[in-house]
Amino acid sequence: MSKCFKLTVTSMTCHHLYITTPDSVEQDKVYEHWRNFDGGDFSTDEDGDWEFSDLYEVEADDMDMFQVDWEDEIE
C-alpha cells in the first residue's frame, strides 16, 4: 500500500506536486524534505525563491500528472 500527498509551493506563482510514498512515511517526513522533490525545481526560480505553502494527504484518485514517487534515499 501507499500514501499520497499534495504539496503546494508558492513564489510569484503557485505550483503543486503529488507525491506517492510507502505507508511507513509520515506527513512530517514529506514536509521535512519538500525541497527534494521535482528535481530541485523548488530551490529557486527566476522570479524568487519557492516557499512551502501546504501539504496534505489525498486519495490516489485525486492525483494528476504532476506526480513523483518517494525515493528511498530521502528516508
Side-chain angles (χ1 to χ4, degrees), residues 5-54:
F5 295 94
K6 180 179 181 180
L7 169 65
T8 304
V9 296
T10 57
S11 183
M12 297 301 283
T13 61
C14 184
H15 179 68
H16 73 270
L17 182 67
Y18 291 96
I19 303 161
T20 303
T21 70
D23 275 340
S24 61
V25 175
E26 297 296 326
Q27 185 169 337
D28 289 344
K29 194 70 158 177
V30 178
Y31 171 75
E32 219 176 284
H33 296 282
W34 70 271
R35 287 190 181 268
N36 294 52
F37 298 103
D38 202 24
D41 288 345
F42 297 154
S43 297
T44 58
D45 68 6
E46 58 193 40
D47 296 317
D49 290 335
W50 289 105
E51 294 182 8
F52 173 83
S53 183
D54 200 9

